[in-house]
Amino acid sequence: MTSQFRSHRDQKTIKVGIYGKTWAGKTRFLYQLINYWEKTGRIIRKSQGCQKFLDTVANSIKSSGGPGRTTEKQDITALVRHIKRKESVKFHFLDLGGEFLAKDLDGLASHAGDNDKNHIQRQVRECNAYIFFFDPSSSEVPADIDEHYRNELRRAEKFIEYVVHTRENEVLPVVFVLTHLDVWENNEDIRKRVDEWCSKVHDELSRAYAQKLKNLHPKSVVSRDRIFLFVSSIGRTQEDDKRLDHVAMELVDLVADSERNLQQLRPSWRKVRVVLAVLVPFGVAVVAVILQPRTSPPVGSPSPTQIAKPPKMDIRSKLDEVEMLLTGWQQQGTRIPTTDEAKKVNDFLRVVQGWMTTNPPDKQSVTEETQQRLKESLKSIAKVVSKVRERMVEKAGDATIPLDEGVSLLETFLENLPDLTPFSEELAQCQKGYWQCKRLQVADRIARIMKRRDELKSPCMDALSEVKAELETAKQEVKNSLVYGAQDRQILLEAIDATVTFCEDRINNESYQAKFRVVSAKAISDKRTGLVWHTLRLLSGKTHTGYFGLEPVRESERTVSYKTAKDSYEIALGLDRRVICEISAYDNEKKQWQKPQEFDLTSDPGPLAALGMPLVNRDRVTKAIRHQDFELTIEFFEFSPVPELIWEAVGRASVNSESGAP
Ligand SMILES: Nc1nc2c(ncn2[C@@H]2O[C@H](COP(=O)(O)OP(=O)(O)OP(=O)(O)O)[C@@H](O)[C@H]2O)c(=O)[nH]1
Ligand SMILES: [Mg+2]
């Protein structure tokens, strides 16, 4: 920052952090924006670094048509007249190379604590506004567009998580600037992709704020119209340039909203660990709620970490309401709570939790009787929620709650609440229980697909595709869930991902792997016979294995055994509901192979038959074949690994068929 700006203490400073992978259009955006300000007489003063930046980029555009890769950090400061407000605004931009930024964003999780070398981390700490650049036309390598979207979505999600987690109530407004509009504005396919991308990012942002800040953030920072902006930075028309200015002015407004929001919240007292006496667990016991300290406040932010101001309310009237509900449930035995009732309980929990965290009641303001009532009501709520869970998970006859209905009810009870351990161990168990049910629900949905497809004997490829699509839907639900449990959520997401990959592998390869061995092969006849070679091979779907020779070895007068050259063989079996074992014998007299005999190995199929893997089971699978005096026992094992969620679905399938599917 240059000294010429230091005297303007009152003016607004917008220190803008940026992310955008290489070629996202960061440099061109900044260049065109500042140029536009200059052309329209809006710049009051600019730093030397700013002038240098403009000159360098102008030269580069003249010589090569574009700004060229940014290889070193550019510090750009400009004092600009606000288009609507009377005041001027000092913008402080950094231009950085996309390659470093992408690497730093990918590496965020591995940096513990403050790390000045990580540009993202540093900017999130120091800036008061952020632009996330994304080129939706993937103009650098259009052929890789799918991967480009996947990567930048993943990065956006990671970035959001990091920002919300790091900044807490000191909300950092992030604007998503989609560049190269002139390239894609008339391209239907890209417009559709853009819409989906923005929706997903928006969902993640809303979820992260709702979860972390309990909806005490300014609404504008998650307002889709305001934070997803599409621009063209090549100076095509004046309208295009105005859109660039609109991005900058939007940042000013969002920063103002965030600051206003912060002022309305109660400031904490020190930039050190703050310990609040909280009434827990409702004797007059005290629990410490520790707020993470922040090392340096962001620009323009008046104070360090702040905590939410609790709404003023009479806790007793809240208790009256919730007690009425709870008594009703007790009297009505097995009645399932309605969604509205669950919402009321959730409201109560949110209010009580916020109030207890931030406004510890002392003995004067809350009587012992109220404390006792509070304690009892939290216990009773936990009982009701646990009951809903039990009635989903365990067989409860007529009182069974279908999983889909129950999970959504649990979500309503528990959404938008932090870890409840400090307030009620029982309710914290309910939060954990929710994630178990969510997993069960995912497994149950797979089970239902497998069961239906099995009954209809439909093609296994279709069954795999349907399972995969269902898992993608479940993944979004898991991501969007507002129930506390980062670790449980992550574990479930990983389980879903592993299962999606399993389905994709099967669909792409149209086969699965296994090993097989001949356990025993014998011919016992009532008279001495010659030694006859046999072969066997396995046929399944579009594949068949090679021929495995069975060499005859005389055991006794009437008994001949057979052995294979190797102890076991690795095989690939095509996806199909049937596996055929074909056996041929050699005719020593005619000197030719006899017509092969076919044996169905899947008359008693395994649990994954609907997915085209009828031989697969958790354990080894043995099959016996008998034909005239020939007996063969073969064993299959070491199948392609099947993800745990699929086995859980198999478990559900047997539960559902015992009790009638919910
Ligand atoms: N047609 C069009 N081209 C653009 C637009 N924005 C940027 N470009 C071009 O896209 C290329 C990449 O833009 P840059 O601004 O250099 O990208 P960057 O994000 O700074 O890339 P790094 O410095 O490598 O991180 C350049 O050729 C730009 O001229 C736009 O809105 N429309
Ligand atoms: Mg650049």
Side-chain angles (χ1 to χ4, degrees):
M1 199 182 309
T2 53
S3 57
Q4 55 187 318
F5 292 110
R6 286 213 184 106
S7 55
H8 293 260
R9 286 209 176 150
D10 299 332
Q11 95 222 336
K12 218 161 218 0
T13 299
I14 307 291
K15 187 163 181 178
V16 187
I18 59 168
Y19 164 76
K21 67 174 262 193
T22 187
W23 207 262
K26 303 177 291 296
T27 306
R28 188 96 198 211
F29 172 92
L30 293 175
Y31 170 78
Q32 192 63 31
L33 169 65
I34 300 169
N35 245 334
Y36 170 71
W37 282 339
E38 196 142 67
K39 268 194 294 185
T40 49
R42 299 263 299 283
I43 294 209
I44 299 165
R45 234 185 330 268
K46 57 181 184 293
S47 65
Q48 283 171 359
C50 180
Q51 190 56 53
K52 188 175 140 228
F53 169 76
L54 292 176
D55 295 342
T56 315
V57 178
N59 282 336
S60 181
I61 291 178
K62 215 190 254 168
S63 59
S64 66
R69 292 252 146 118
T70 305
T71 49
E72 58 183 57
K73 187 171 89 172
Q74 303 294 323
D75 229 312
I76 306 157
T77 315
L79 188 62
V80 179
R81 220 181 300 280
H82 193 287
I83 194 149
K84 288 190 224 128
R85 302 174 185 212
K86 288 204 184 83
E87 69 204 6
S88 52
V89 183
K90 185 174 80 178
F91 281 96
H92 185 176
F93 297 107
L94 288 180
D95 189 20
L96 291 151
E99 278 167 44
F100 313 110
L101 288 169
K103 212 162 102 229
D104 284 353
L105 178 42
D106 293 341
L108 266 185
S110 60
H111 294 283
D114 295 335
N115 181 350
D116 279 354
K117 291 206 180 96
N118 186 308
H119 292 103
I120 302 288
Q121 202 160 338
R122 189 170 182 168
Q123 293 184 95
V124 168
R125 209 173 61 230
E126 294 180 352
C127 293
N128 58 349
Y130 218 104
I131 303 181
F132 188 108
F133 286 93
F134 175 50
D135 167 15
S137 64
S138 183
S139 56
E140 191 185 20
V141 193
D144 285 347
I145 193 159
D146 287 335
E147 198 179 342
H148 174 64
Y149 271 73
R150 258 197 310 277
N151 285 341
E152 294 315 282
L153 177 63
R154 178 178 52 76
R155 288 184 176 135
E157 289 174 344
K158 188 167 188 186
F159 178 70
I160 289 167
E161 185 72 35
Y162 183 74
V163 165
V164 176
H165 180 79
T166 311
R167 296 284 297 240
E168 299 184 328
N169 281 352
E170 289 168 339
V171 170
L172 174 64
V174 180
V175 168
F176 296 85
V177 170
L178 280 71
T179 59
H180 293 74
L181 180 65
D182 52 296
V183 177
W184 57 271
E185 62 192 338
N186 296 319
N187 183 325
E188 252 332 289
D189 173 49
I190 296 186
R191 292 191 76 89
K192 210 167 132 237
R193 284 172 184 270
V194 163
D195 193 50
E196 276 170 20
W197 191 87
C198 294
S199 294
K200 284 179 183 162
V201 174
H202 183 244
D203 285 352
E204 179 63 21
L205 195 71
S206 311
R207 188 196 62 75
Y209 272 124
Q211 192 158 31
K212 185 80 187 167
L213 291 190
K214 318 289 163 296
N215 291 321
L216 288 165
H217 54 284
K219 296 296 159 274
S220 54
V221 298
V222 291
S223 160
R224 189 166 166 164
D225 295 349
R226 296 186 59 180
I227 59 168
F228 290 92
L229 302 172
F230 308 157
V231 303
S232 167
S233 318
I234 48 170
R236 189 178 49 161
T237 63
Q238 211 188 7
E239 277 315 301
D240 283 346
D241 287 354
K242 278 189 186 161
R243 281 175 195 256
L244 308 183
D245 182 46
H246 176 68
V247 173
M249 297 306 121
E250 196 65 274
L251 289 179
V252 178
D253 290 347
L254 291 171
V255 169
D257 285 355
S258 300
E259 286 176 3
R260 207 172 309 120
N261 189 64
L262 193 58
Q263 273 157 17
Q264 284 165 7
L265 302 174
R266 195 165 67 102
S268 66
W269 303 286
R270 293 257 154 70
K271 207 197 292 180
V272 292
R273 292 187 164 207
V274 179
V275 179
L276 294 177
V278 177
L279 173 78
V280 172
F282 312 109
V284 195
V286 170
V287 148
V289 173
I290 298 168
L291 301 173
Q292 290 303 312
R294 294 277 310 280
T295 47
S296 80
V299 174
S301 180
S303 61
T305 301
Q306 320 256 328
I307 52 170
K309 185 179 186 175
K312 283 208 169 79
M313 49 124 201
D314 176 7
I315 196 73
R316 276 166 309 182
S317 66
K318 292 275 163 202
L319 268 169
D320 291 343
E321 277 172 39
V322 88
E323 280 171 354
M324 253 173 53
L325 267 182
L326 290 165
T327 317
W329 283 328
Q330 270 159 14
Q331 286 166 353
Q332 291 164 29
T334 56
R335 185 172 73 78
I336 304 172
T338 64
T339 307
D340 268 355
E341 288 168 338
K343 264 195 195 128
K344 279 189 189 141
V345 170
N346 177 260
D347 280 349
F348 172 78
L349 290 175
R350 284 163 67 176
V351 167
V352 167
Q353 175 275 327
W355 174 76
M356 289 195 308
T357 309
T358 55
N359 188 29
D362 53 30
K363 279 184 193 166
Q364 283 86 48
S365 66
V366 177
T367 62
E368 283 218 15
E369 186 212 342
T370 309
Q371 291 169 26
Q372 193 55 33
R373 281 177 65 195
L374 208 42
K375 185 179 169 184
E376 289 302 325
S377 63
L378 290 192
K379 264 206 169 132
S380 304
I381 289 171
K383 262 195 201 145
V384 171
V385 178
S386 304
K387 197 87 205 143
V388 170
R389 193 184 74 82
E390 280 163 23
R391 285 166 62 183
M392 272 190 284
V393 177
E394 290 159 18
K395 273 193 234 162
D398 290 347
T400 301
I401 303 179
L403 271 170
D404 287 342
E405 192 184 318
V407 167
S408 127
L409 200 58
L410 287 190
E411 217 158 280
T412 311
F413 271 119
L414 298 169
E415 66 191 7
N416 284 319
L417 287 162
D419 180 7
L420 292 172
T421 314
F423 310 103
S424 156
E425 191 54 52
E426 291 98 333
L427 279 168
Q429 284 306 321
C430 293
Q431 289 177 314
K432 279 225 149 288
Y434 162 82
W435 286 105
Q436 288 160 2
C437 291
K438 188 73 205 166
R439 183 169 178 131
L440 205 62
Q441 184 196 24
V442 178
D444 197 70
R445 288 191 194 160
I446 301 174
R448 275 183 272 165
I449 295 172
M450 296 204 303
K451 183 164 183 277
R452 178 167 35 81
R453 294 273 175 183
D454 207 27
E455 284 164 2
L456 297 173
K457 301 277 173 270
S458 63
C460 41
M461 283 297 197
D462 294 351
L464 280 164
S465 301
E466 192 184 349
V467 168
K468 181 175 168 247
E470 185 66 47
L471 287 166
E472 303 280 10
T473 310
K475 185 173 173 183
Q476 277 316 313
E477 287 175 12
V478 170
K479 278 187 162 183
N480 293 340
S481 169
L482 299 174
V483 179
Y484 171 81
Q487 206 184 352
D488 294 317
R489 184 197 309 274
Q490 193 51 35
I491 291 171
L492 182 49
L493 283 175
E494 281 166 16
I496 292 176
D497 277 343
T499 316
V500 168
T501 308
F502 172 77
C503 293
E504 279 170 354
D505 287 351
R506 298 287 78 77
I507 292 169
N508 294 339
N509 301 333
E510 297 187 33
S511 66
Y512 59 105
Q513 306 288 320
K515 275 191 182 169
F516 105 97
R517 73 180 185 104
V518 171
V519 180
S520 74
K522 261 187 195 159
I524 306 172
S525 58
D526 42 14
K527 55 182 190 308
R528 184 184 169 96
T529 50
L531 293 177
V532 176
W533 270 83
H534 284 66
T535 59
L536 80 78
R537 67 170 182 164
L538 300 157
L539 297 89
S540 179
K542 292 181 184 164
T543 69
H544 56 78
T545 64
Y547 290 98
F548 301 103
L550 296 169
E551 185 191 354
V553 180
R554 182 165 302 283
E555 298 270 321
S556 69
E557 189 72 356
R558 290 173 19 227
T559 310
V560 177
S561 68
Y562 296 85
K563 64 178 174 76
T564 46
K566 281 169 49 175
D567 287 345
S568 66
Y569 297 91
E570 273 180 30
I571 50 172
L573 291 164
L575 296 182
D576 197 8
R577 309 180 72 82
R578 282 196 348 146
V579 178
I580 300 293
C581 178
E582 190 191 84
I583 295 181
S584 311
Y586 191 70
D587 189 329
N588 287 334
E589 284 170 17
K590 292 187 183 157
K591 303 259 182 275
Q592 65 183 34
W593 288 97
Q594 290 174 357
K595 189 168 169 283
Q597 298 290 323
E598 289 191 349
F599 302 91
D600 182 2
L601 298 182
T602 43
S603 52
D604 176 21
L608 304 187
L611 304 181
M613 294 167 271
L615 282 185
V616 176
N617 217 323
R618 267 198 192 264
D619 303 321
R620 292 170 171 246
V621 171
T622 306
K623 299 283 172 184
I625 291 167
R626 225 167 252 216
H627 178 60
Q628 294 168 352
D629 58 0
F630 183 77
E631 283 178 21
L632 173 75
T633 305
I634 48 182
E635 188 179 64
F636 296 91
F637 54 104
E638 289 185 27
F639 301 104
S640 300
V642 176
E644 224 20 65
L645 252 186
I646 297 273
W647 291 125
E648 287 165 32
V650 168
R652 288 302 299 170
S654 55
V655 171
N656 290 347
S657 57
E658 275 170 41
S659 60

